[in-house]
Amino acid sequence: MKDIQLLGATGSIGTQAIDIIEEFPESFRLKAVSAAHSVEKILTILKRHPVDTVVMHAEYENKIKSVYPDVTFLSLENDGLIQLVKTDKDALVLNALVGSVGLPATLETIAQSKDVLLANKESLVVGGHLIMDALKSSTSELIPIDSEHSALKACMKGRMTEDVETMIITASGGSFRDYTLEDLKKVTVQDALKHPNWSMGDKITIDSATMMNKVFEVIEAHFLFGMPYDKIDAIIHRESQVHALVHFKDGNVLAHMGPADMRIAILSALQGSKVHKYRTLFDLAKIGSLNFEGIDREKYSLFDLGLAVAKEDGLHRATLNKANEVAVSLFLKGAIHYLEIETLIKRALHAFENEKNPTLDTILAHEDAVEAFVLKEAKRR
Ligand SMILES: NC(=O)c1ccc[n+]([C@@H]2O[C@H](COP(=O)([O-])OP(=O)(O)OC[C@H]3O[C@@H](n4cnc5c(N)ncnc54)[C@H](OP(=O)(O)O)[C@@H]3O)[C@@H](O)[C@H]2O)c1
């Protein structure tokens, strides 16, 4: 039986992780959950799972405790996520938080030598160097929950990084893959949230449309597999059935396929070497054909910009991530236009200096400055 502390239990990944836990109650048990504000969803989870700890904003403590007096409540304001991962040494931590707010909890989980199942890719984008350093003095295993990286991990099983020519991750092209540059001037939030293949949280759906998500995944692959950036590539694959390919130096290419269902990546991360029987709805004859094409660098101009920041390395990854986080949230609120996401990111990168090997404290202070800058720029435009 594996006990799970689920950070971000009410989101898209969190909900699908609970689906898997409920499908295999003999293997997985939910021990703790966190959310920011979705208190009704947390109460629904508590009805079905006798969890021992809930982490949320302090304002929800009374509501939770009035129904579940025995549950330990930790507040986000009081570093509840950090306190949580310090408990229950044998539990796995599944980090399904959205945004770089997930980084301190990832680092603390590793400091506690607990295994971390990482959906929160922003942890690696912003603090990949800190995570890799922390792993050196820990017995933690870092297991990705992302369809592409789960696929790369499967392709790399029993193989050596030095034998790899290129790692290739696929991108659906997002909500606007059939739009022209001209069309993009008129798009709305509703248009942007209509992803063709995946049902995901709002932020990652927008990141998929702008191709920022693929930048983040290249950075993720760089840290997870120790691959230099010039050996990681991304291509558009409309059907989202092939998630990643590894091209080996001897000419062999391994591709990983599967339905566009994140529960499979979640189960793969949770189960380890014991394979569970899950729904196997994969019918290539029905899919018919698989299409691949290069990324249109003019239309997805954030892709090259993001890769340049990745290669530059250092604090600018945090600038890129935070400016993107704030700009996407402004777009989702209807405060800026879709194309202004890129404008704001560029201004932030221009305004702040890069710095090599930033500490966690430097990153956290820097993020506050970037957030204030982007909010001010958005008002000024
Ligand atoms: N969704 C996918 O299919 C998918 C696939 C691959 C990777 N990922 C990655 O997985 C992560 C989660 O994505 P998602 O789509 O599941 O996100 P989501 O649906 O937006 O869920 C985010 C979760 O984090 C909580 N949260 C948000 N802001 C917080 C804060 N400031 N402090 C504490 N908790 C906070 C939310 O709580 P509330 O509900 O209370 O707001 C929710 O439980 C992201 O890094 C994403 O890139 C997602």
Side-chain angles (χ1 to χ4, degrees):
M1 177 65 71
K2 292 183 180 178
D3 288 333
I4 296 146
Q5 296 180 321
L6 180 55
L7 316 186
T10 51
S12 162
I13 291 289
T15 304
Q16 295 178 83
I18 292 175
D19 290 346
I20 290 296
I21 292 167
E22 291 182 350
E23 187 135 353
F24 302 106
E26 70 292 352
S27 299
F28 311 122
R29 179 168 54 199
L30 193 58
K31 285 297 288 293
V33 288
S34 90
H37 294 285
S38 301
V39 69
E40 295 307 328
K41 285 190 188 170
I42 289 288
L43 287 168
T44 306
I45 296 169
L46 295 188
K47 255 190 223 164
R48 297 200 305 264
H49 298 267
V51 306
D52 54 31
T53 311
V54 170
V55 184
M56 288 193 79
H57 280 297
E59 64 194 275
Y60 303 108
E61 177 163 10
N62 288 344
K63 188 153 189 175
I64 299 281
K65 292 291 270 184
S66 67
V67 191
Y68 297 97
D70 295 335
V71 162
T72 301
F73 185 95
L74 302 171
S75 74
L76 288 170
E77 288 75 4
N78 206 11
D79 273 343
L81 293 170
I82 300 294
Q83 288 188 57
L84 172 68
V85 302
K86 283 183 174 170
T87 64
D88 214 344
K89 298 279 178 207
D90 295 326
L92 305 172
V93 173
L94 196 165
N95 186 341
L97 297 166
V98 64
S100 56
V101 69
L103 174 62
T106 301
L107 287 171
E108 188 58 45
T109 305
I110 296 169
Q112 297 295 322
S113 282
K114 289 166 69 172
D115 289 345
V116 55
L117 278 52
L118 192 65
N120 178 249
K121 62 186 80 182
E122 295 91 347
S123 277
L124 279 167
V125 170
V126 170
H129 59 297
L130 299 175
I131 291 174
M132 292 304 123
D133 252 13
L135 283 168
K136 286 180 197 151
S137 50
S138 163
T139 57
S140 290
E141 200 186 339
L142 176 65
I143 305 161
I145 296 187
D146 213 348
S147 52
E148 298 76 3
H149 305 80
S150 183
L152 288 173
K153 192 168 176 240
C155 292
M156 287 302 293
K157 200 166 179 192
R159 287 159 197 270
M160 313 289 280
T161 306
E162 54 265 35
D163 295 336
V164 174
E165 184 64 31
T166 339
M167 286 184 170
I168 305 156
I169 55 178
T170 60
S172 67
S175 317
F176 299 138
R177 64 188 184 188
D178 295 321
Y179 285 51
T180 63
L181 263 175
E182 200 50 36
D183 294 338
L184 290 180
K185 292 182 183 158
K186 293 172 268 173
V187 296
T188 64
V189 175
Q190 287 69 33
D191 299 330
L193 289 176
K194 279 184 214 141
H195 195 284
N197 300 348
W198 299 90
S199 161
M200 308 184 285
D202 290 354
K203 179 193 177 261
I204 185 174
T205 304
I206 306 302
D207 288 348
S208 298
T210 61
M211 208 51 83
M212 186 58 94
N213 185 46
K214 229 30 69 177
V215 171
F216 289 172
E217 289 178 1
V218 168
I219 298 174
E220 236 184 315
H222 165 76
F223 284 113
L224 286 169
F225 301 100
M227 287 300 288
Y229 283 112
D230 59 3
K231 287 184 171 284
I232 308 170
D233 209 351
I235 48 168
I236 300 230
H237 166 46
R238 298 180 73 86
E239 293 79 13
S240 295
Q241 300 293 315
V242 176
H243 304 299
L245 308 95
V246 180
H247 186 179
F248 290 94
K249 285 182 176 159
D250 60 7
N252 284 296
V253 181
L254 287 187
H256 180 281
M257 303 180 74
D261 179 354
M262 275 309 291
R263 292 180 194 86
I264 296 173
I266 294 167
L267 176 60
S268 303
L270 277 171
Q271 70 184 0
S273 55
K274 180 176 182 263
V275 174
H276 291 65
K277 178 157 176 53
Y278 187 57
R279 56 194 86 147
T280 46
L281 301 170
F282 190 61
D283 186 346
L284 268 184
K286 220 175 183 175
I287 295 162
S289 55
L290 299 174
N291 293 280
F292 300 92
E293 63 197 273
I295 293 177
D296 176 342
R297 319 296 259 235
E298 213 188 325
K299 181 164 132 186
Y300 296 108
S301 42
L302 271 177
F303 186 64
D304 278 340
L305 179 79
L307 287 190
V309 171
K311 286 177 189 161
E312 192 191 351
D313 200 17
L315 192 60
H316 255 175
R317 292 199 316 269
T319 315
L320 179 79
N321 178 70
K322 193 44 120 184
N324 179 62
E325 243 174 75
V326 178
V328 168
S329 108
L330 288 170
F331 169 66
L332 286 168
K333 286 181 197 144
I336 61 168
H337 185 267
Y338 179 74
L339 292 174
E340 288 174 302
I341 296 174
E342 176 166 347
T343 312
L344 290 173
I345 293 172
K346 279 185 176 157
R347 283 196 203 158
L349 287 168
H350 189 70
F352 292 92
E353 294 282 313
N354 194 20
E355 179 186 321
K356 296 285 174 190
N357 288 317
T359 63
L360 179 60
D361 286 345
T362 303
I363 290 172
L364 297 178
H366 180 70
E367 286 191 320
D368 290 345
V370 173
E371 178 165 5
F373 174 84
V374 175
L375 290 174
K376 202 167 113 210
E377 285 297 303
K379 276 203 184 124
R380 203 167 66 85
R381 81 217 152 82

